[in-house]
Amino acid sequence: MTKLPNHNRRSFLKIAAATGGGLMLGFNWTESEAATPTVLVNAASAAPGVDFNSYLSINPQGVITILSPNPEVGQGIKTAFPIIVAEELDADWKNVVVEQAPLDTKKFERQVAGGSGSIPHSWKRLRVAGATARHMLIEAAAKRWSVSAADCATQKGFVTHAASKRKLSYGELANDAAQIPVPADVKLKEIKDFSLIGQTIKNVDNPKILTGKPLFGLDFHREGMLIGMLQRPAFGYKIKSVDSAAAKAMPGILHVVTINNSVAVVGKSTWQVKKAKDALKIEWEKDGNLESTADHNRIFKEMLDSSNTTVRRKDGDVETAFKNAAKVVKAEYQCPFLPHNPLEPMNFFAHVKEDSAELAGPSQTPEAARNQAAKLLGFPPEKVTLELTRMGGGFGRRLNTDFAIEAVQVSKAVNAPVKVMWTREDDMTGGIYRPAVRYRFEAALDDKGTLIGYKLRGASINAGNATREDNFPSGAVENLLIDSIDHKSPITTGPWRAPITNFLAFAEQAFLDEVAHAAGKDPVQFRLELLDKAKQKPTGKITYDIDRMRGVIELAAEKSGWGKNKNVAQGFSVYFSHRSYVAQVGEVVMEKGKPVLKKVYSAADCGVVINQSGAQQQVRGCIVDGIGHAMYGNITFKDGIPDQKNFNEYRLIRMNEVPEIEVHFVKNEIDPTGLGEPSLPPAGAAVANAIFKATGKRLYNQPFVTTEVFKGVS
C-alpha cells in the first residue's frame, strides 16, 4: 500500500462535482498527500480559496482531462505524464484528453524541461493520483450496488462487479465519487499488471502538429501585436554609434530603440522588420578580449600544462603507479563550441502594462523567465503571467531566459505587445554555446595489462568543471587523479544536450578503447573486468550502479553479435548519465576507401519504459544528434565574431547519412530514470572506435570530418 500522510491531506488531491455533473481531482505534482472533497464552480476552475495544483477531471460522458504542467520540448512529456495517471486509473486511453497548463508556482513544482528529470520527479506522484481516483470510483460503485468494494474491479473506464455482471462507467460514477472520503493509502498496481505503460502510444499532439494547428511560440498571436528583432553585438564588442535613419524610413517600421548593448527594430510584419534591421548602420568598438579559435587552441595547451588546477578526485598513489607502470598510454581530445540549432529559433511574446505583464512562448524554465521579468519590471511575480507553448526543440538553449527578457524590455520600451523573433543567423551567432573543451588522459598498465593508474585533466572555456570525477572508471582504479581548469571568455556558453558528458563520454570511451588495445584485451571484456574490480574491491566512492552498467554492456554485446561478424568493423561505448545507462555498438564498412557508418545498436537501462514510441524516439534522436555533431558540428571565431552564421556554412548530418538504428531496453521494475539525454554521450565513441577498427586510425578531435580519415568528404 502507498500511504498518504494525514498532516496535510489538502495538498495532494481535491475532489469536486463539476457544475453539470462530473468529477474533478486536483492533485499536487510535488507531494503524495490527499485532501478532502471540495465543490467546484465549474469544470474549468476551482471554488474560491481552493488551491489546486493540477487537474484530473471526469465528465459524465467519461472523458478524462489531464492538465500537464511541464514544458513540452519534443521529449514526449505531454504524452508520458497522462499515460502514468491513466494506467493507475484504469482509464480507456481513447477517452483521455491532455491540455498544457500555464505557469503557476502555487499549483505546480518543477515546471522545467531539463536534466532528463521530469519523469523521475513525477512518477510516484502521478501513479498515486490515478490510483486514488480509481479507489474512490470503486467505492462509489460498491455503495450504489450495496456490495463490497473488494468484489469490484476496473477495466478501461468502467467499474465492474463480476458476480452480478454489472458495470458502470467512470462518467456515471463521477458525482457519487465526489462524496467518497479520500483514502489514507492506496494500492498501486504491480508492474506486471500494467496495460498502458510500456506500450506504443502516439504523441497526443500529433494531429495538431500534422494539421498545422498553432502550438509553437512562432505560432503565437495577439491582436495588435507587433514584431521585434534585435541587432546584437559580437563577443567582446559594445555599441559606439547607431544610424537608424534608413531603417526608420522603411514601410511598416514603428520604432527603433537601443536597449542595453543591442538595437531593437519594431514594426508590423516579420519581413518589414527584418529588412529594416538589415538596414541599420551600427559602429561597434572593443569592449574586452576579442578571441579567435587560434587563441583558444593556445589557451588549451597552456591550461593542460598549468599547475593551477582544481583537484576533483584523488585516489591512491598516482605518482608511484605511473612510475612503476610497464606501459603508459596518453591521449588528448578536443571539441569545439556548438550552437543548439533548434528547428524553431528563439522567440517570445510580452505585453508589459502599467502594473502587470503577460508573457507567452517556448521556455524550458518558465518560472525563471517569469521571475526575472518581474524583477526587471519591479512587479510582484504574481502580476506576471506566462503561457507555455510547445517548443520546436531546445536541447538546453531554452533553459536560458535571455530571449524572453528581450521581449519584456522591448515591449516596455515601445509600450505595446511585441513578439521578439530571432532569425537563424541570430540563433547561430547569438551565443549560449556548448563549451569548448580539451581533455588529457593518461593510463598506467602493469605487465599483465591491468589498469593500475588513471589521470584525467579537463581544460575548458566557460564550463566550470569539465569533468565528472565520480563517473566510471572511478572506483575501479586504485590510483586515480582527476582535475580541471577553466578559462573565462566573453563567448557565452550554457547547457547543451547532456551537458559536459556529451563530449566527455566520447573522449573517455575512445581512450578506454585505446587502453584496452594497448593491454591486448577485448574492449568489452576490458570494461567488464573494470566493473568486476569496482564491485569486488572498490576504491573510494562509487556513484554508478555496477550491475546496471554491466547489464547494458552485455545486452549490447549480445544484440550486436559483438566480434562475430567479420564483414563489419565494430566499435563499443558505454556511459552513465542522468541516472540511466546506455551501451552502444557502431558498425562501419569501408566504401571507396572511406569509412561509412552502417548501423548502431543501442542498449538502454532507464528503468520502466513509459511509452515505447517516445522512448524509441528519444534514443534514436540522441544517437543521430550525437553522431551528427561528432562528425560535422563546428563553430569557429575570428576576433569574437562567429564564422558560421547559417546552415550553408554549418554542416549537419543528412538523412542519407543516418545509419540503421536498433534499440533495446533492459526490462526491470526500477522506477524510471532519465532518457532525453543519456543515449547521446556514448554515440560518438561507438562510431570512432568502429572507425579505428576499420582504418587503424584513432580520432581525437571533433568534428571528425576535419581529420585525415575523412579527407575529401564534404
Side-chain angles (χ1 to χ4, degrees):
M1 302 289 283
T2 299
K3 194 76 172 178
L4 303 181
N6 290 318
H7 63 81
N8 185 18
R9 299 179 72 190
R10 291 175 59 84
S11 64
F12 173 70
L13 183 62
K14 298 186 186 298
I15 301 137
T19 300
L23 173 68
M24 180 171 282
L25 306 108
F27 51 88
N28 192 330
W29 303 70
T30 69
E31 302 175 40
S32 296
E33 301 178 359
T36 53
T38 308
V39 176
L40 295 186
V41 175
N42 54 55
S45 62
V50 176
D51 184 17
F52 287 153
N53 287 323
S54 188
Y55 303 107
L56 163 61
S57 66
I58 306 174
N59 73 10
Q61 289 72 42
V63 176
I64 299 165
T65 301
I66 299 174
L67 198 60
S68 182
N70 282 45
E72 175 58 66
V73 69
Q75 82 280 40
I77 204 68
K78 195 174 174 183
T79 304
F81 270 15
I83 287 174
I84 299 169
V85 177
E87 177 65 72
E88 290 290 351
L89 181 61
D90 248 355
D92 187 340
W93 181 250
K94 73 175 186 292
N95 290 330
V96 173
V97 175
V98 184
E99 296 180 1
Q100 178 68 58
L103 174 69
D104 193 328
T105 54
K106 291 183 178 179
K107 296 178 181 177
F108 309 114
E109 182 188 71
R110 201 191 180 279
Q111 282 187 273
V112 173
S116 299
S118 296
I119 292 293
H121 173 267
S122 299
W123 167 248
K124 179 72 172 294
R125 297 161 175 83
L126 297 172
R127 292 187 68 192
V128 172
T132 302
R134 175 176 174 271
H135 172 94
M136 299 177 72
L137 290 160
I138 289 175
E139 290 288 340
K143 185 176 180 181
R144 185 179 296 189
W145 292 329
S146 299
V147 299
S148 170
D151 295 330
C152 297
T154 57
Q155 184 178 25
K156 285 195 172 184
F158 287 87
V159 179
T160 61
H161 184 247
S164 63
K165 297 182 179 179
R166 287 178 289 183
K167 69 177 183 178
L168 289 168
S169 72
Y170 287 176
E172 293 173 291
L173 291 167
N175 287 331
D176 289 353
Q179 312 307 317
I180 301 295
V182 178
D185 53 49
V186 291
K187 183 178 181 180
L188 300 180
K189 285 186 178 182
E190 294 186 32
I191 304 295
K192 66 179 179 61
D193 295 328
F194 284 167
S195 59
L196 274 176
I197 290 175
Q199 301 303 309
T200 298
I201 297 174
K202 295 177 181 178
N203 189 300
V204 295
D205 277 342
N206 278 357
K208 293 180 180 179
I209 293 172
L210 293 171
T211 55
K213 296 295 189 297
L215 288 172
F216 300 91
L218 286 175
D219 297 323
F220 185 87
H221 180 76
R222 278 283 184 270
E223 193 66 33
M225 178 184 82
L226 302 178
I227 299 297
M229 292 186 181
L230 285 82
Q231 184 62 60
R232 304 166 188 83
F235 304 102
Y237 292 87
K238 65 180 179 180
I239 294 174
K240 183 177 181 180
S241 65
V242 179
D243 180 354
S244 59
K248 288 179 177 178
M250 297 179 74
I253 302 306
L254 302 176
H255 307 277
V256 178
V257 293
T258 299
I259 297 176
N260 297 331
N261 201 27
S262 301
V263 180
V265 179
V266 180
K268 296 180 179 179
S269 74
T270 304
W271 184 245
Q272 289 173 327
V273 171
K274 182 185 183 303
K275 296 297 287 183
K277 177 191 165 194
D278 293 342
L280 289 171
K281 297 177 181 178
I282 304 175
E283 186 178 358
W284 306 94
E285 61 183 347
K286 182 179 177 182
D287 185 33
N289 295 330
L290 304 182
E291 295 182 354
S292 301
T293 298
D295 299 318
H296 298 150
N297 292 333
R298 171 183 53 79
I299 290 167
F300 279 138
K301 185 178 186 305
E302 292 171 354
M303 287 195 291
L304 287 177
D305 293 335
S306 173
S307 58
N308 187 28
T309 60
T310 300
V311 174
R312 301 295 178 177
R313 176 165 176 160
K314 186 175 183 180
D315 296 329
D317 186 346
V318 179
E319 292 75 14
T320 300
F322 275 84
K323 181 180 178 181
N324 297 334
K327 184 182 292 186
V328 173
V329 183
K330 298 181 181 180
E332 293 184 10
Y333 303 82
Q334 185 170 321
C335 72
F337 292 95
L338 288 182
H340 297 78
N341 287 336
L343 184 61
E344 178 189 27
M346 300 303 106
N347 65 90
F348 224 77
F349 168 84
H351 187 187
V352 177
K353 305 171 188 177
E354 184 177 347
D355 61 355
S356 65
E358 177 194 6
L359 308 181
S363 173
Q364 292 179 248
T365 53
E367 183 181 357
R370 191 276 309 271
N371 290 347
Q372 290 175 29
K375 183 178 180 181
L376 174 70
L377 297 170
F379 295 164
E382 59 269 21
K383 288 290 186 177
V384 180
T385 63
L386 194 152
E387 179 180 337
L388 297 173
T389 65
R390 188 180 177 96
M391 286 170 267
F395 313 113
R397 177 62 180 89
R398 289 186 161 98
L399 290 168
N400 289 79
T401 61
D402 53 310
F403 52 95
I405 299 306
E406 283 182 345
V408 173
Q409 292 171 321
V410 174
S411 175
K412 182 181 179 183
V414 304
N415 193 29
V418 177
K419 180 161 71 173
V420 167
M421 298 173 62
W422 292 40
T423 64
R424 177 59 61 193
E425 289 82 359
D426 293 334
D427 208 57
M428 196 173 292
T429 62
I432 319 294
Y433 300 115
R434 179 187 77 173
V437 182
R438 189 171 180 89
Y439 293 110
R440 176 179 289 165
F441 287 83
E442 299 179 57
L445 298 169
D446 66 13
D447 56 3
K448 296 180 181 178
T450 302
L451 182 61
I452 59 172
Y454 184 87
K455 293 182 188 178
L456 165 60
R457 172 166 295 180
S460 57
I461 299 176
N462 288 352
N465 176 16
T467 72
R468 291 294 180 263
E469 59 272 15
D470 294 326
N471 277 12
F472 178 82
S474 294
V477 187
E478 299 98 321
N479 308 293
L480 176 143
L481 174 63
I482 297 177
D483 58 19
S484 68
I485 184 170
D486 192 56
H487 168 71
K488 299 304 178 186
S489 168
I491 297 171
T492 56
T493 63
W496 192 96
R497 195 174 192 177
I500 302 299
T501 61
N502 55 61
F503 181 69
L504 174 58
F506 158 73
E508 172 204 286
Q509 289 295 304
F511 181 66
L512 287 179
D513 195 80
E514 187 166 351
V515 174
H517 185 77
K521 297 182 178 181
D522 174 79
V524 170
Q525 191 57 39
F526 181 70
R527 289 167 174 82
L528 291 175
E529 289 176 4
L530 286 172
L531 288 175
D532 287 342
K533 195 173 183 180
K535 188 164 188 175
Q536 296 164 11
K537 192 178 178 182
T539 300
K541 67 177 179 179
I542 295 178
T543 59
Y544 51 91
D545 188 309
I546 295 169
D547 292 332
R548 291 182 73 187
M549 183 171 277
R550 171 180 278 277
V552 294
I553 291 174
E554 292 176 341
L555 182 59
E558 173 198 341
K559 296 299 182 181
S560 67
W562 176 257
K564 296 177 181 178
N565 186 352
K566 303 306 179 183
N567 295 319
V568 296
Q570 293 182 315
F572 187 84
S573 179
V574 62
Y575 208 71
F576 159 64
S577 67
H578 296 87
R579 301 171 291 276
S580 293
Y581 300 79
V582 180
Q584 293 172 358
V585 175
E587 290 188 341
V588 166
V589 298
M590 298 299 292
E591 293 182 359
K592 298 180 181 179
K594 298 296 178 184
V596 176
L597 180 64
K598 289 295 187 180
K599 187 168 184 175
V600 174
Y601 295 86
S602 184
D605 182 350
C606 58
V608 173
V609 174
I610 307 301
N611 180 8
Q612 283 288 339
S613 174
Q616 286 270 346
Q617 290 170 33
Q618 286 295 294
V619 173
R620 292 170 187 273
C622 277
I623 291 172
V624 173
D625 212 6
I627 292 170
H629 284 92
M631 282 290 298
Y632 305 110
N634 195 17
I635 281 278
T636 57
F637 298 86
K638 179 63 177 177
D639 295 331
I641 301 173
D643 294 318
Q644 296 78 23
K645 298 176 175 59
N646 208 320
F647 291 129
N648 61 318
E649 300 167 314
Y650 185 91
R651 176 79 151 85
L652 291 173
I653 191 170
R654 296 164 182 158
M655 291 185 70
N656 66 318
E657 294 165 337
V658 174
E660 179 185 352
I661 299 173
E662 186 175 311
V663 180
H664 300 274
F665 294 102
V666 174
K667 295 180 180 179
N668 57 39
E669 297 188 359
I670 297 170
D671 286 354
T673 48
L675 195 56
E677 293 159 287
S679 295
L680 188 150
V687 175
N689 294 336
I691 289 171
F692 166 74
K693 185 75 172 179
T695 67
K697 295 178 180 179
R698 292 284 178 187
L699 296 173
Y700 297 103
N701 299 324
Q702 293 184 3
F704 298 160
V705 74
T706 61
T707 65
E708 182 67 25
V709 174
F710 288 96
K711 188 174 182 179
V713 176
S714 61

